[in-house]
Amino acid sequence: MTERIPTRIIETIDPGKPKRLTPAKEGGPIHTRSFSGLFRNLRLLGAGLLFILFFGTAWLDWNGRQAVLWDLGAGQFHIFGSTFWPQDFILLSAILIIAAFGLFFISVLAGRVWCGYACPQSTWTWIFMWAEKITEGDRNQRIKLDAAPWSLNKLLRRGAKHAIWLGVSLVTAVAFVSYFTPVRELVAGLLTLDAELGPTIWVALFATATYLNAGWLREQVCLHMCPYSRFQSVMFDSDTLNVAYDAARGESRGPRKKDSDYRVEGLGDCIDCTMCVQVCPTGIDIRDGLQLDCISCGACVDACDEVMDKMGYARGLVRYASERSLEGKKIRLLRPRLMGYGLVLIVMIGAFIWALGERSLVSLDVTRDRTLYRENSAGQIENMYLLKVINKSQQVQRYSVGLQGAQFTLQGPSELTLAPGEISDVPYSVALVEPSRAASTHEIHFTIMNPNDRSAHDSVSSTFISPARY
Ligand code: SF4
Ligand code: SF4
């Protein structure tokens, strides 16, 4: 027999048809029912890949160091064979902008699929729900356990659930923090209670956030805290795919015998079993229409398809559909908004790849000494500079340092050898050998390059000051 959700009649639009409050609107805990189906399997696949990436990447090594590591102390971001420095911040910003446009593109195409299938908040919430199921049982058992007075059985089940939640939160926090602190050091330190205070505090904070977000707050994060859920609906158009209930086919809803001639009774395909509501992680009724709370997870699609199979009806009463397709019209793929986002995305990715290829693997910074000028032993006017050179490559580099302009000479080492990632501050002096009467300030250009590596070059302008008589 089909189990009903706890209901409360709030209003009667049609005297013969009382309207129920959904779990979301009742404000109590949402007890989701287990289900199976295509979209659940797709989500498991997505979550599996996400986990392998998230938990596995931190343990990968590359050239003797952690392959992906954001070394905040040194201001370096290592990602496999490349190291990004604060000077490359623009490239990291570009990655975020590309990700944002990617999300816009996906949102126009298929609504909130990111939320339903890949968002860490949803993914970890599914894991926590699974922990709930194996410790406290499926939906009916959990509802009973909630209502039951405290007993040893309830204490043990609740305790086991929270132990798994805390365990998952801790492992997640360690994996996250290990992208900022070498993972082996961090894990060894935590296991021997000898970890540094900073990373330990971050692990504790992140574990607490995971435990609260995925265990207690759940859909409240999606509904009230996530900024994306607030503005994503403005990106939708009438061809965006969303999870939708086909009201034309489903109404009037109502129970019936399996092989009854329900059309004659004026009923549609919806048997009003509420399975779509019972599996919904945000506790809404998709039959009320497209809602801000829907994360497009497809759970109700799977649940309803299963019901349709049992009833011998065609699948797809609840399905991924656009507003136009529900009206029986064809979905338009080539539409201005989608093409606009797609075009911006392609241009941004192209520009990023170009900028990455052109990125110089040496950085030069020049600071002029605060003294105005001085006269050297040859009677020439001289200015002092400090050159800061960073070898941003993964190899030892030998650079030539030079100065453009025939009227100046550069005094200091003409060649520098730097180890991978080394930062070197080297003082230089520049002398004016061809005095000019016209100017007391001159623009000069320092250059640095490795003649054997065309990606290792940089140039920086500075100012040379001489007395007016020159
Ligand atoms: S699962 Fe399908 S048949 Fe059951 S109430 Fe939902 S829409 Fe109707
Ligand atoms: S209505 Fe359906 S698709 Fe939307 S959140 Fe609920 S179960 Fe997922």
Side-chain angles (χ1 to χ4, degrees):
M1 194 177 131
T2 305
E3 184 227 342
R4 303 301 239 182
I5 56 167
T7 58
R8 184 149 57 90
I9 297 169
I10 48 164
E11 59 180 321
T12 305
I13 299 167
D14 172 351
K17 191 164 284 181
K19 188 172 178 183
R20 294 187 189 96
L21 272 180
T22 58
K25 287 176 183 153
E26 282 179 326
I30 295 170
H31 296 287
T32 53
R33 174 185 276 274
S34 310
F35 64 99
S36 57
L38 173 68
F39 297 106
R40 175 182 170 273
N41 294 343
L42 282 177
R43 187 171 34 258
L44 282 179
L45 188 69
L49 291 174
L50 188 72
F51 283 178
I52 291 170
L53 271 177
F54 179 66
F55 290 107
T57 309
W59 291 91
L60 287 182
D61 280 346
W62 191 272
N63 281 347
R65 59 154 173 73
Q66 193 169 312
V68 181
L69 180 68
W70 198 312
D71 186 342
L72 293 174
Q76 298 171 18
F77 176 41
H78 304 290
I79 176 159
F80 295 95
S82 301
T83 298
F84 293 88
W85 294 72
Q87 294 86 343
D88 301 315
F89 183 75
I90 184 89
L91 288 174
L92 298 177
S93 313
I95 293 175
L96 293 180
I97 295 171
I98 288 171
F101 272 95
L103 199 57
F104 297 163
F105 181 81
I106 294 287
S107 300
V108 177
L109 186 69
R112 291 183 75 177
V113 284
W114 159 262
C115 304
Y117 291 86
C119 172
Q121 170 64 25
S122 318
T123 309
W124 262 254
T125 297
W126 290 110
I127 300 172
F128 277 45
M129 284 176 174
W130 166 80
E132 229 164 35
K133 188 185 156 195
I134 60 167
T135 52
E136 296 183 345
D138 205 355
R139 184 171 184 274
N140 294 348
Q141 291 162 297
R142 291 203 304 276
I143 291 172
K144 274 188 200 147
L145 195 71
D146 266 4
W150 280 100
S151 63
L152 185 62
N153 174 49
K154 185 166 174 172
L155 196 68
L156 288 176
R157 286 179 183 278
R158 282 277 146 87
K161 176 181 83 173
H162 287 286
I164 297 178
W165 282 7
L166 284 169
V168 172
S169 302
L170 192 62
V171 172
T172 304
V174 171
F176 182 79
V177 175
S178 66
Y179 285 100
F180 301 90
T181 301
V183 65
R184 288 170 181 80
E185 262 175 46
L186 178 67
V187 172
L190 289 172
L191 289 177
T192 55
L193 302 181
D194 194 27
E196 284 179 35
L197 184 63
T200 308
I201 290 175
W202 279 111
V203 168
L205 287 176
F206 201 86
T208 308
T210 307
Y211 174 75
L212 292 177
N213 285 344
W216 293 92
L217 295 173
R218 295 195 175 173
E219 75 287 347
Q220 302 302 324
V221 175
C222 311
L223 303 185
H224 307 297
M225 292 160 74
C226 174
Y228 174 52
S229 73
R230 300 286 106 195
F231 70 80
Q232 42 100 23
S233 56
V234 299
M235 286 178 247
F236 293 0
D237 60 24
S238 55
D239 288 293
T240 299
L241 283 179
N242 282 299
V243 172
Y245 165 67
D246 189 344
R249 180 183 149 191
E251 298 299 315
S252 295
R253 65 187 77 160
R256 80 287 313 266
K257 289 208 169 63
K258 190 177 171 192
D259 296 317
S260 68
D261 197 355
Y262 61 98
R263 298 271 179 214
V264 175
E265 298 167 30
L267 292 173
D269 280 356
C270 176
I271 65 168
D272 205 14
C273 61
T274 73
M275 285 297 170
C276 49
V277 184
Q278 294 180 38
V279 296
C280 178
T282 63
I284 58 170
D285 188 339
I286 193 63
R287 295 171 300 168
D288 293 342
L290 181 62
Q291 293 151 72
L292 200 63
D293 315 25
C294 175
I295 58 168
S296 267
C297 68
C300 53
V301 180
D302 281 336
C304 189
D305 278 347
E306 207 177 319
V307 173
M308 294 294 106
D309 288 348
K310 281 183 188 153
M311 295 300 292
Y313 303 164
R315 287 179 159 213
L317 175 59
V318 179
R319 62 180 184 272
Y320 283 95
S322 73
E323 214 179 301
R324 280 172 58 85
S325 71
L326 281 176
E327 290 165 2
K329 297 174 187 161
K330 271 183 73 178
I331 291 183
R332 293 170 305 182
L333 267 183
L334 299 179
R335 47 199 206 269
R337 192 178 301 196
L338 191 63
M339 284 163 60
Y341 283 132
L343 197 66
V344 173
L345 201 55
I346 291 169
V347 170
M348 292 285 304
I349 292 173
F352 177 76
I353 293 171
W354 175 81
L356 205 58
E358 290 296 307
R359 184 173 77 108
S360 174
L361 292 179
V362 61
S363 164
L364 176 64
D365 196 24
V366 177
T367 309
R368 191 183 165 281
D369 192 273
R370 267 192 266 161
T371 50
L372 274 179
Y373 51 81
R374 70 183 186 195
E375 202 167 310
N376 66 15
S377 55
Q380 298 163 332
I381 292 298
E382 198 175 61
N383 284 198
M384 302 298 295
Y385 301 86
L386 188 69
L387 269 60
K388 180 178 190 166
V389 183
I390 304 175
N391 177 4
K392 298 199 292 184
S393 76
Q394 305 284 316
Q395 296 84 34
V396 174
Q397 295 274 0
R398 194 178 175 84
Y399 304 110
S400 303
V401 182
L403 185 71
Q404 289 174 354
Q407 74 267 43
F408 297 101
T409 56
L410 181 69
Q411 275 144 29
S414 59
E415 286 195 339
L416 296 173
T417 302
L418 268 71
E422 188 182 343
I423 302 173
S424 181
D425 291 309
V426 191
Y428 281 84
S429 70
V430 174
L432 181 61
V433 290
E434 288 179 20
S436 150
R437 291 186 182 282
S440 58
T441 59
H442 314 253
E443 189 173 301
I444 55 174
H445 303 276
F446 292 89
T447 60
I448 188 161
M449 62 180 296
N450 179 347
N452 301 319
D453 184 351
R454 61 177 285 279
S455 65
H457 61 85
D458 200 4
S459 69
V460 170
S461 302
S462 188
T463 306
F464 183 95
I465 297 178
S466 62
R469 66 188 169 84
Y470 279 85

